[in-house]
Each structure stands twice: as structure tokens, then as C-alpha cells.
Amino acid sequence: MTHNTLIVSNWKMNFNFIQAKNLVTNLKKIKYNKLKLSNVICPQFLLLPTLNEVLHKSDLILGAQDLHFDINGAYTGDTSIELIKDYNCKYSIVGHSERRALHNESNIMIKKKVKLCLDNFIIPILCVGESIEQRKKNTYKDFILKQLTECIQKIKCPELVIAYEPIWSIGTGIIPKVEDIIEVSELIFSFLKKEKIDKFQILYGGSVNSSNFREINSIDKINGALIGGASLKIDEMKKILTSC
Ligand code: PGA
């Protein structure tokens, strides 16, 4: 487990060129502890070429929101790992619950994406997390373990990030109790240790903002956050980045 804090901005399908450039120009001006913190931006694919130029020689790191599991081929509308690498993405989110729900992504497909990333030196940020029904029925631990097993078991993983994102917390302003995040982060930690994966970080994602970030990030097994809505706002990002 690495101890550096990883802040991943998931911009989702937001921003035009001007808005994206404005935000990264302002993000570049924020002074934070660069030895302790990595700041990753995951924009829409079409923004990657421009942001790659704007971020040149800065400490900000680019990431992709998704990628196809094959190297190339007849996949209308998809984006390949080759282009993601061409634009200097160091990370890629895989298996986000919005992809699972809206694009029918299965664990089998996500495992192929994780493998492709690792074979190409892109660090996968694998998202796992339960629905509100699974939480209420108390089946969430089994569900998360199934996701982890089916997405990464027996893969040779030099480095990996897992984001625990309860679906019911994404975009809702509702955050699990600290003890609930602790419980799942420990579950993920033990799974990764059992799989003999040494280099990993566990993030929390779901309604993270400048008011709750510190408490979440102080959890022993959590090393940062995957941030959606708040990552679009410079004031929020400034508070989050300077609180590490
Ligand atoms: P949110 O999104 O911060 O807006 O809840 C997080 C995510 O979906 O990664």
C-alpha cells in the first residue's frame, strides 16, 4: 500500500474547451504539497489533446474515464488504449457504476480492461460499490467481494487503484458513516493482500467535497478520493488540495 494521497477528478460528461482550459489553468496555480499528493484529471476524451498541451510540464496528471478492452477493431464509438497513451494518460477509471449501469459493462469485460491497462503501463482505477438495496439487505460485502474477485483475481498487478463508490452516494450528497467506509476499505485491503498485490491505493468516491474530504481521507486504509461534482469547482478543489 502506498501512502501518497491520490485525488482523482472525474469530470464525467462536463465542460467545453474553454471551461476545461479555465479550470486547469486555475488548478495549476494552486500550491499544494506535491510530495504528498498526486492530482489526476479525467476529462472527456475529446478534451485530452488540448489538456495534454495545457498541462505540459505541470504536476497535474491526465487520466481517462474509460477505455475499450481490445487494442483496436470494429467498435463504433469506443476509444482505444493507444490514443489514451498518446495523450499521456497515466491512469484510467474502469468499471465506474455509470458505465456498468448505462453501458451494461460486466465484470468479465472490466477484467479485460484492467488487464489491458496493466499490460500497457496504465494504472487502472477500478470502481466497486453496492446499490442501496444491497446495503439495506446486508449483502453489500459479498457483492463487493464478487466484483473484486471477478475483476482482478489472479491477474498479475504491479500497481492498481480501487475506488470504493457506493452507488447510492454518487451525486446524492449522502455519505456513508465513517465506520461503514472503514469496514469496506478493510475488506478491500484484505482482498488485495490475499491476492499478493503490494502496490495499491484505496480511494473513496461518492459526494466527496471540501467539507467531508478531510475526515474521509484520515481513514487508515483510504489514500484519497474520486471526486465528481466537486471536481468541477475551483474553490472546492483548492480547499481539498490544500488540506492534504
Ligand atoms: P460525485 O461522483 O462526487 O459527484 O458523487 C463521484 C463519482 O461518480 O466518481
Side-chain angles (χ1 to χ4, degrees):
M1 186 169 177
T2 49
H3 294 283
N4 199 16
T5 295
L6 181 62
I7 303 290
V8 183
S9 290
N10 178 8
W11 285 0
K12 308 191 180 183
M13 202 176 73
N14 292 294
F15 288 156
N16 59 29
F17 280 110
I18 295 170
Q19 292 166 321
K21 266 190 188 171
N22 277 347
L23 185 58
V24 290
T25 307
N26 289 323
L27 282 172
K28 274 164 65 177
K29 292 182 194 151
I30 301 173
K31 304 236 175 313
Y32 55 84
N33 189 339
K34 296 184 173 127
L35 295 175
K36 282 202 345 209
L37 189 140
S38 302
N39 187 7
V40 180
I41 311 290
C42 302
Q44 295 184 66
F45 288 127
L46 281 175
L47 293 171
L48 284 173
T50 308
L51 293 192
N52 185 35
E53 274 172 32
V54 181
L55 296 185
H56 185 61
K57 289 197 173 137
S58 82
D59 295 296
L60 277 86
I61 303 164
L62 274 179
Q65 292 180 12
D66 184 44
L67 77 175
H68 197 273
F69 58 75
D70 246 346
I71 293 180
N72 54 27
Y75 301 107
T76 304
D78 277 313
T79 296
S80 70
I81 194 157
E82 197 178 359
L83 285 182
I84 288 164
K85 280 169 62 177
D86 279 348
Y87 292 112
N88 286 319
C89 289
K90 300 279 179 282
Y91 292 83
S92 180
I93 299 172
V94 286
H96 190 282
S97 60
E98 286 153 15
R99 300 286 319 168
R100 291 176 189 262
L102 304 172
H103 297 266
N104 288 323
E105 290 200 6
S106 63
N107 287 336
I108 295 172
M109 213 186 257
I110 294 162
K111 185 172 191 174
K112 289 186 189 170
K113 294 186 183 199
V114 171
K115 269 193 188 155
L116 187 69
C117 284
L118 293 167
D119 288 348
N120 286 276
F121 309 103
I122 298 260
I123 303 167
I125 302 170
L126 170 67
C127 300
V128 295
E130 79 283 1
S131 66
I132 191 65
E133 292 77 23
Q134 287 156 337
R135 168 70 47 186
K136 283 185 183 155
K137 281 197 222 137
N138 206 21
T139 55
Y140 61 95
K141 281 189 267 178
D142 289 343
F143 180 74
I144 293 167
L145 278 178
K146 186 173 185 312
Q147 286 185 317
L148 289 169
T149 307
E150 293 184 358
C151 294
I152 55 177
Q153 198 175 41
K154 300 205 170 90
I155 292 184
K156 210 171 153 277
C157 267
E159 187 170 0
L160 167 93
V161 179
I162 304 286
Y164 169 48
E165 297 210 306
I167 299 167
W168 48 276
S169 174
I170 296 175
T172 59
I174 305 167
I175 296 264
K177 291 194 221 92
V178 170
E179 55 264 38
D180 293 336
I181 304 179
I182 294 175
E183 182 189 46
V184 175
S185 62
E186 293 194 341
L187 184 82
I188 296 170
F189 184 91
S190 331
F191 178 89
L192 296 172
K193 284 283 162 197
K194 225 170 64 202
E195 282 298 305
K196 302 205 173 7
I197 299 170
D198 291 323
K199 206 169 173 201
F200 62 83
Q201 286 184 258
I202 303 171
L203 312 182
Y204 170 78
S207 296
V208 174
N209 59 36
S210 60
S211 325
N212 55 34
F213 170 73
R214 251 193 128 106
E215 188 178 24
I216 293 169
N217 198 41
S218 66
I219 295 173
D220 185 40
K221 302 281 188 298
I222 296 286
N223 309 114
L226 179 53
I227 309 176
S231 75
L232 305 173
K233 299 176 191 144
I234 188 65
D235 293 347
E236 282 290 287
M237 287 311 287
K238 189 170 182 178
K239 287 186 201 152
I240 291 170
L241 293 167
T242 52
S243 71
C244 290

